[in-house]
Amino acid sequence: MQLSLNEDQTQILDFIDSLAKPFSTLPMHDVSLALESAELDEALVENGFLDVMAVEELGPVTAALVVERLARLPFAVEAAASAMVRPLIDPELPRPLCLMEEGKTRKPLRFLRPGATVVVAGPSGVKSFTATEEMIAPAQEDTLYGYPVAFLTSLPDAMTSHDVDAAEITRAWRVAIAAEAAGLLGAALASTVTYVSERKQFGRPLATFQGMRHRLAEDQVMTNTVYWMAMRAAGTGSQADAAMALQHAQEAAKRVCYDYHQFLGGMGMTLEHPLHLWTYRLKLLTAELGGRGAQGLAAAEALWS
């Protein structure tokens, strides 16, 4: 596995950083639980960043890098499904793209809104339909998802069937979530390190206390391994690698988010600090595709089949 970025990948990430710079900080006095920017989304589409997987020289690893980098922003971007799953189904599917497991209609769908494309993957294959206002129920205002979410109240009688392998779509879905989780974990870690480096107690920064440094080091190791396992899974195309990457990402999110909020003390329980924008999103991702247990079973099945 190549551990360093090639020239094309470096340039793409540099372009994304430049384009996303106006969206790298929170709007003044904004304490929203879920932030979106139509301007940022339009710029990403216009510049082709969500279509890099279709370019032979770039492929799925570059797409995973794009997803990871965009997930670090305080603004939620529908990039994972569009960049890593849509090319396998139909690159012309209208965005935003909402992915749903067959039979799981009661689960919250990220970025669901009228006009969104809902992709249903399961034992009967891969199907899609366009969501309408009549079939959408908004989430309660006091729910802490970190993403714009809604619920489907019904399914249409007719859907478009796609001639693709449902297992392959699920594999790409797992890699996409793992890459997104890697970016969220990286942003949460950076935000926490900045806070404990500046916040002082007993006349010295919190980050200088040995106990905290040890736990931060362990959290960084967990975060780094999520990144590398996601990139490996994107590169190999292996069902087992994809399941293990997502299992580790969901496990890491459960473990390190507790530390980050505890390190921030009282600020970690407020909306004044942006940490919640990443940790609440991670909390929702830990339940995707059945959670950690389902990924472990999928990995075992892939390895022994």
Side-chain angles (χ1 to χ4, degrees):
M1 178 179 174
Q2 177 59 257
L3 298 182
S4 59
L5 303 181
N6 61 38
E7 184 177 352
D8 289 336
Q9 292 168 337
T10 300
Q11 289 182 352
I12 286 173
L13 294 183
D14 287 343
F15 288 148
I16 287 179
D17 288 341
S18 177
L19 183 149
K21 188 174 182 179
F23 307 96
S24 60
T25 57
L26 287 173
M28 187 69 69
H29 306 305
D30 194 309
V31 291
S32 303
L33 289 172
L35 292 174
E36 281 190 287
S37 171
E39 181 184 352
L40 172 61
D41 193 79
E42 291 172 5
L44 292 170
V45 172
E46 182 180 344
N47 288 277
F49 290 119
L50 302 183
D51 300 319
V52 296
M53 183 170 160
V55 181
E56 185 177 354
E57 297 79 9
L58 301 176
V61 174
T62 305
L65 289 168
V66 168
V67 170
E68 190 273 344
R69 186 59 58 92
L70 291 173
R72 291 173 174 263
L73 297 174
F75 289 83
V77 181
E78 193 282 282
S82 287
M84 303 202 67
V85 180
R86 186 176 64 156
L88 301 177
I89 303 172
D90 180 357
E92 301 303 320
L93 283 176
R95 298 181 60 252
L97 206 67
C98 308
L99 303 178
M100 186 182 81
E101 295 178 82
E102 185 177 345
K104 302 292 181 66
T105 56
R106 295 186 177 183
K107 300 189 71 173
L109 292 183
R110 298 186 290 152
F111 304 102
L112 178 62
R113 63 190 60 147
T117 298
V118 180
V119 174
V120 184
S124 65
V126 179
K127 303 175 182 178
S128 69
F129 63 91
T130 300
T132 62
E133 190 171 356
E134 294 74 20
M135 62 179 64
I136 297 174
Q140 297 181 1
E141 293 185 1
D142 59 347
T143 49
L144 309 179
Y145 289 117
Y147 288 103
V149 304
F151 294 83
L152 281 174
T153 58
S154 62
L155 296 176
D157 295 331
M159 303 186 204
T160 301
S161 296
H162 299 277
D163 187 19
V164 292
D165 184 5
E168 179 63 11
I169 297 304
T170 302
R171 180 203 63 78
W173 187 355
R174 288 190 171 106
V175 178
I177 300 171
E180 187 169 2
L184 294 170
L185 286 164
L189 175 62
S191 180
T192 302
V193 168
T194 297
Y195 180 84
V196 298
S197 298
E198 297 173 350
R199 177 74 166 87
K200 292 184 178 181
Q201 190 63 265
F202 306 111
R204 52 192 284 201
L206 291 174
T208 62
F209 290 94
Q210 189 177 50
M212 183 171 289
R213 291 167 70 93
H214 286 171
R215 284 175 65 183
L216 276 172
E218 292 176 0
D219 293 338
Q220 183 174 25
V221 169
M222 290 285 290
T223 297
N224 289 350
T225 51
V226 170
Y227 172 88
W228 289 114
M229 289 183 72
M231 296 305 132
R232 174 183 170 83
T236 63
S238 161
Q239 292 283 356
D241 285 346
M244 288 190 289
L246 182 52
Q247 194 278 337
H248 183 63
Q250 292 174 327
E251 176 67 27
K254 289 279 188 180
R255 290 181 57 181
V256 306
C257 287
Y258 173 84
D259 279 353
Y260 295 159
H261 281 280
Q262 187 177 49
F263 292 159
L264 264 64
M267 286 296 290
M269 303 300 293
T270 72
L271 299 181
E272 296 177 39
H273 193 280
L275 178 63
H276 65 278
L277 294 173
W278 300 292
T279 57
Y280 284 176
R281 292 173 198 164
L282 283 164
K283 183 177 180 181
L284 185 58
L285 293 187
T286 58
E288 289 272 309
L289 288 169
R292 295 170 291 172
Q295 312 321 317
L297 291 172
E301 181 179 347
L303 287 169
W304 291 101
S305 61

